[in-house]
Amino acid sequence: MDEVTFRSDTVLSDVHLYTPNQRHLMVRLNSMGQPVFLSQFKFVWNQDSQTDSGAEGGDHGDGPTEETPAGTGSSMSPPGSGHSSEGFSLQASTDTTGQEGVGARLDEDGDLDVVRRPRAASDPDPARPSRDKVHPMILTQEEDGILGDEAQENSTHNIIKIEHTMATPLEDVGKQVWRGALFLADYILFQGDLFQGRTVLELGAGTGLASIVAATVARTVYCTDVGADLLAMCQRNIALNSHLTASGGGVVKVRELDWLQDDLCTDPEVPFSWSEEDISDLYNHTTILLAAEVFYDDDLTDALFKTLSRLVHKLKNACTAILSVEKRLNFTLSHLDVTCEAYDHFRSCLHELEKLQGGPLRFAVEPVAAAFPQRLAYERIRQLEIWKVCVEPVT
């Protein structure tokens, strides 16, 4: 496989799109016949870790404004390292070009000036403007020495390995790595004290990246999604990164949690089903719920909020839901304008949740300022937001 062909219904995460010529290790085909790749993320601790809150010169305008406690988690050690290190950052090994000059180029009239890449010399139509063919370069298993040599230069505590797909139909987007999950992982690393020794439930965990990071400080993390193939990928990623959670004693349990079903699956014949012990632990000890990049479809957003409400009413303790979302802009024919319909629906669901009255619980919704340090190498744009929903019993 020399090139990846993108069909009209293919969805490609920006995390992978922005490193199109990087070499990727293809490790296998999943049960759907989709190529599965392995990316390595390195912990790099230094005195120059990024602390920018977003795109160059940007704030969130009328987005999140909550002040985050200064200094919280700033001296957190790399997970599993057993020692302290100031200002470390996580850097994906796939990022070789950096993010220099991320500001948009404008011409003298203020219009966007797009710089085109030169086409390859082998292009069959040289009359057209020249531009390189852009496609991922695929490594086979036999060539994994390139990644293997790089891994040997670092101790096992310096690396996170994530298996993922790189382009999927919309229904399989959970198999990719998305910016919102990286953004949420940044927040978890910054707020380590909040997660210390806690029981955490992640809804729509995808590849499990945020759950793995949470397990470096939490006691137990329930990493949940739906679909045996996706959950098996989560399980493999957890096994690949057991070195990060072992020293802290954190446990990650992969379980199926379907937002369209009212009850948890307890059938022992079904892979990743719940035991009675799991359910008791979930309801008796969970205090933090997570969700990242799952608000792209209105029906799924409604199902998630319904599931969230159902779960928190069963929890024994007060809890906090931490939701990561990217405000995606799309031009729609119905509006003849650029809109954020999925994001607007998400915000309306938050508003409806906060207005609930007369029940046993009170929901307080607040935005989180994106002023916490960036621990991973990705494009942290101003459209990334985190919202907290604090759930407490009415007194």
Side-chain angles (χ1 to χ4, degrees), residues 118-246:
R119 189 174 293 277
S122 59
D123 193 294
D125 187 4
R128 295 166 58 192
S130 61
R131 189 175 183 185
D132 277 337
K133 291 175 72 175
V134 176
H135 58 81
M137 299 174 60
I138 311 302
L139 297 179
T140 63
Q141 284 280 21
E142 290 75 17
E143 298 176 278
D144 70 347
I146 295 177
L147 291 180
D149 293 342
E150 184 176 331
Q152 291 175 6
E153 296 176 1
N154 302 276
S155 73
T156 56
H157 297 301
N158 297 346
I159 295 173
I160 296 180
K161 297 180 180 179
I162 295 293
E163 282 193 7
H164 59 87
T165 57
M166 202 158 53
T168 64
L170 182 62
E171 61 267 21
D172 287 329
V173 292
K175 298 175 183 177
Q176 301 187 53
V177 180
W178 295 89
R179 267 190 303 228
L182 300 171
F183 193 51
L184 179 57
D186 277 345
Y187 183 73
I188 294 169
L189 290 169
F190 178 63
Q191 292 281 15
D193 292 344
L194 176 64
F195 291 82
Q196 189 70 45
R198 300 295 186 93
T199 297
V200 178
L201 169 65
E202 183 176 11
L203 302 170
T207 61
L209 188 149
S211 286
I212 292 168
V213 173
T216 62
V217 285
R219 180 180 66 89
T220 303
V221 178
Y222 288 97
C223 175
T224 71
D225 214 308
V226 65
D229 190 66
L230 176 57
L231 294 172
M233 177 183 286
C234 283
Q235 192 70 69
R236 277 187 290 270
N237 284 333
I238 290 162
L240 285 170
N241 296 283
S242 59
H243 57 282
L244 298 178
T245 60

Side-chain angles (χ1 to χ4, degrees), residues 81-96:
S81 64
H83 58 78
S84 175
S85 176
E86 291 189 11
F88 79 94
S89 64
L90 279 168
Q91 184 174 1
S93 63
T94 57
D95 187 1
T96 60

Side-chain angles (χ1 to χ4, degrees), residues 112 163 197 229 348 364 390:
L112 182 65
E163 282 193 7
D229 190 66
S348 69
C390 299

Side-chain angles (χ1 to χ4, degrees), residues 6 12-21 24 117 134 166 176:
F6 301 108
L12 178 62
S13 166
D14 292 333
V15 173
H16 313 304
L17 180 65
Y18 290 154
T19 54
N21 288 319
H24 301 273
R117 298 185 182 91
V134 176
M166 202 158 53
Q176 301 187 53

